Amino acid sequence: MTATPDPVALTLTQALRTYDLDTLLNTLAAHGGARATKQRRANLVRVFRAAEGEHVNLLMPPDDFHPWLRRTLTTNENGTPAKPNSVVSRLSALRTLYRDLRAQGLLHTDPLLDYAAPSGETGKTPLPTRADIDALIAEARAQKDDALTAALLLLTHHAVQVTEILAVRWSAYQPDSGVLLRHRTATRLDDMTLRALDALLAQQGGPMQLETFSGRRIFPYDSQDALRLRIFQTCQRAGIAFLPPSGLRRSALRDYPLQAADAGFSNPLAFERAVSLARGTLPGTP
């Protein structure tokens, strides 16, 4: 017996094939994805027009997708260089789009997971200091916000992507071995992060009941903005300036001697470059 095709998946696939951005965003929004705002469309339209003009398959990106994407993100349609903030906004919107497509089952890996940030994206914004990071985590603990504490430790100890935090389910966590299955690697978590995750696990019923809720998402945040807002509020309570998740994640590469797999990288060269950028040792960086 032939299974009935999923109408939502068919609509999304057709929209991607025809580069129909409006249908794609509206359909995803109607089925649990991010809201289809004018700003999200504006941030994605450059990528979609370029992909249509050059026949780039966004659902099954080619091997040279990252170099193509870098050129597309960093230039405007009229050929002028894009401003760094525009590059960041476009990339963030595309990351959210791919997260929503994975949630619908159209993708099983993140095409942007090992995407090396262009120099315009990293800019000259310094990474948060270790003292500010520790103050933020201490404040999350003081508020008894176990979810935020665990999320911050994953960001700052293991360079976990925000998209991974939003999507990860309990089925990906192995409390006995202390391993978290990520988009492309399996990461052995350190003791502090394990304790934070185990606190969340206990709230769900503990490891003995794990099979009964293995399909649930670990974290309560339904969007990047929700996590950013919680970090912002906690920074205010801690009396420190807002620490963006991207900087928190990169601080892990600066502060800990991670292996590529433990930082979520399957590409050793991309990992080495990311570490060099985070530590300011890449030639030409301050």
Side-chain angles (χ1 to χ4, degrees):
M1 182 176 179
T2 303
T4 302
D6 180 352
V8 175
L10 288 175
T11 298
L12 293 172
T13 301
Q14 180 62 19
L16 283 163
R17 285 175 178 168
T18 59
Y19 306 96
D20 185 348
L21 183 56
D22 291 325
T23 296
L24 184 68
L25 293 180
N26 289 331
T27 303
L28 287 170
H31 293 85
R35 291 189 302 120
T37 63
K38 290 182 178 179
Q39 187 60 50
R40 285 196 68 224
R41 187 188 187 284
N43 287 330
L44 288 168
V45 71
R46 165 65 178 140
V47 173
F48 271 69
R49 286 177 178 169
E52 183 176 16
E54 299 178 45
H55 307 289
V56 173
N57 187 335
L58 294 174
L59 185 58
M60 298 179 64
D63 291 339
D64 62 348
F65 181 58
H66 284 189
W68 173 87
L69 182 61
R70 187 180 311 283
R71 293 192 301 272
T72 301
L73 292 176
T74 56
T75 57
N76 297 315
E77 289 191 68
N78 62 3
T80 59
K83 295 181 179 179
N85 285 346
S86 297
V87 176
V88 172
S89 297
R90 291 169 181 174
L91 182 58
S92 176
L94 191 59
R95 288 193 191 281
T96 300
L97 176 66
Y98 277 132
R99 183 205 73 195
D100 290 345
L101 290 172
R102 292 196 305 276
Q104 292 297 326
L106 269 70
L107 287 169
H108 299 293
T109 59
D110 182 1
L112 300 179
L113 185 58
D114 287 345
Y115 180 79
S119 58
E121 182 189 346
T122 57
K124 296 184 179 179
T125 302
L127 294 183
T129 65
R130 193 70 239 173
D132 279 351
I133 293 170
D134 290 343
L136 175 61
I137 295 172
E139 183 59 35
R141 285 185 173 133
Q143 295 179 43
K144 301 187 185 304
D145 192 334
D146 293 337
L148 182 61
T149 300
L152 290 173
L153 289 171
L154 286 172
L155 282 168
T156 61
H157 284 209
H158 292 285
V160 174
Q161 297 269 1
V162 170
T163 53
E164 293 179 291
I165 289 175
L166 297 179
V168 66
R169 300 182 184 274
W170 283 111
S171 56
Y173 178 50
Q174 299 176 356
D176 291 341
S177 61
V179 169
L180 183 70
L181 182 63
R182 298 167 66 170
H183 289 326
R184 294 191 178 181
T185 68
T187 291
R188 175 64 173 86
L189 303 175
D190 63 22
D191 291 343
M192 190 179 296
T193 308
L194 285 174
R195 287 195 294 271
L197 277 181
D198 285 344
L200 292 179
L201 181 61
Q203 295 173 16
Q204 298 292 324
M208 298 298 292
Q209 302 295 321
L210 184 57
E211 288 188 6
T212 66
F213 57 83
S214 62
R216 297 179 194 167
R217 289 192 298 118
I218 294 179
F219 294 98
Y221 315 110
D222 58 5
S223 68
Q224 294 192 43
D225 287 341
L227 176 57
R228 285 172 58 86
L229 176 60
R230 194 72 195 99
I231 292 173
F232 174 72
Q233 293 167 337
T234 307
C235 284
Q236 286 188 312
R237 288 179 177 271
I240 58 178
F242 173 57
L243 307 181
S246 59
L248 292 171
R249 175 182 175 273
R250 290 172 55 224
S251 75
L253 303 175
R254 176 196 64 190
D255 296 338
Y256 294 97
L258 299 172
Q259 300 297 314
D262 289 334
F265 286 79
S266 60
N267 184 326
L269 293 178
F271 172 66
E272 290 176 9
R273 184 178 189 278
V275 170
S276 296
L277 281 169
R279 296 178 180 174
T281 57
L282 192 72
T285 60

